[in-house]
Amino acid sequence: LNAAATAYIGLGSNLNDPAQQLDEALTNLAALPDTSVTAVSRIYLSKPLGPQDQPDYLNAVAKISTRLGPTQLLKALQHIELRQGRKREVRWGARTIDLDILLYDGLQLDTPDLVLPHRELCNRNFVLLPLNDIAPELILPDKRTLASLLANTPSEGIVPLSKGD
Ligand code: A4P
Ligand code: MG
């Protein structure tokens, strides 16, 4: 049996009732074998990065504790995406749900199927701001702090929704 790892999962949706999609994804995450959701950020409304002819996104980050290995976890997330009706078409295009592994313990990995930390983590305010809600003291495997990444990332086009919105 693997030891429990801590991972951060980025959630994004801009189709078919995004708030409901995030909710459902969190339920599905919590139902994964040997996995518990230990923290969830606020939900953010953000302008689309990439093609602009798509709806605004809702984004959030969940912290999980899991005994699934990184590849098992990726497969499990892709299975949830499919169950929630995800279709892969346009790169950076609209989607019902996108689940990315942002970090998996202190692991650094660069394989065709899985890159850790997530490649775009450092540039995206819709990842960094929710991460900051639940892990403000976070330090990346390369020793950069979340605070330093946030200081270098514009916070335009994104607003937190108050709980209950
Ligand atoms: N992959 C490699 N590393 C990882 C990882 N750490 N976590 C591979 C998850 N997947 C990883 O992803 C493509 C491939 O990445 C997978 O086969 C996996 O093996 P995908 O989810 O199939 O395709 P995608 O979502 O179109 O690509 P990607 O790179 O996940 O898209 P992005 O970069 O996440 O962009 N604007 C706002 N405001 N908010 C958003 O959430 N999201 C996107 C999607 C565009 N614009 C957005 C948002
Ligand atoms: Mg993805």
Side-chain angles (χ1 to χ4, degrees):
L1 194 66
N2 298 328
T6 297
Y8 292 90
I9 309 300
L11 298 87
S13 169
N14 71 341
L15 284 182
N16 299 351
D17 194 348
Q20 171 64 30
Q21 295 294 338
L22 292 193
D23 220 51
E24 207 176 310
L26 289 170
T27 302
N28 287 330
L29 270 181
L32 291 179
D34 301 316
T35 301
S36 52
V37 174
T38 55
V40 181
S41 74
R42 288 179 291 178
I43 291 174
Y44 290 78
L45 178 66
S46 62
K47 295 282 169 210
L49 173 91
Q52 293 300 296
D53 59 341
Q54 56 176 326
D56 289 352
Y57 278 78
L58 291 187
N59 285 108
V61 171
K63 181 182 185 180
I64 66 172
S65 170
T66 185
R67 291 182 190 278
L68 298 176
T71 306
Q72 287 175 302
L73 179 59
L74 179 68
K75 291 206 160 63
L77 297 182
Q78 291 174 343
H79 184 72
I80 294 174
E81 290 179 341
L82 287 177
R83 270 174 47 198
Q84 293 190 216
R86 169 83 187 269
K87 298 191 177 58
R88 291 202 161 67
E89 281 147 359
V90 182
R91 175 156 194 253
W92 290 6
R95 71 270 321 279
T96 52
I97 191 74
D98 188 24
L99 298 171
D100 290 333
I101 308 177
L102 304 173
L103 293 157
Y104 184 101
D105 279 343
L107 203 58
Q108 292 178 292
L109 201 66
D110 194 340
T111 71
D113 287 338
L114 186 57
V115 180
L116 291 171
H118 190 276
R119 249 188 236 293
E120 304 294 336
L121 166 71
C122 312
N123 312 316
R124 295 180 160 183
N125 57 21
F126 57 81
V127 171
L128 298 174
L129 287 165
L131 254 183
N132 190 55
D133 285 343
I134 56 177
E137 310 294 330
L138 192 75
I139 301 175
L140 297 198
D142 67 7
K143 309 292 185 217
R144 285 182 298 171
T145 63
L146 177 59
S148 71
L149 297 174
L150 270 169
N152 289 309
T153 305
S155 57
E156 281 143 28
I158 181 164
V159 288
L161 302 180
S162 57
K163 295 272 183 199
D165 271 3

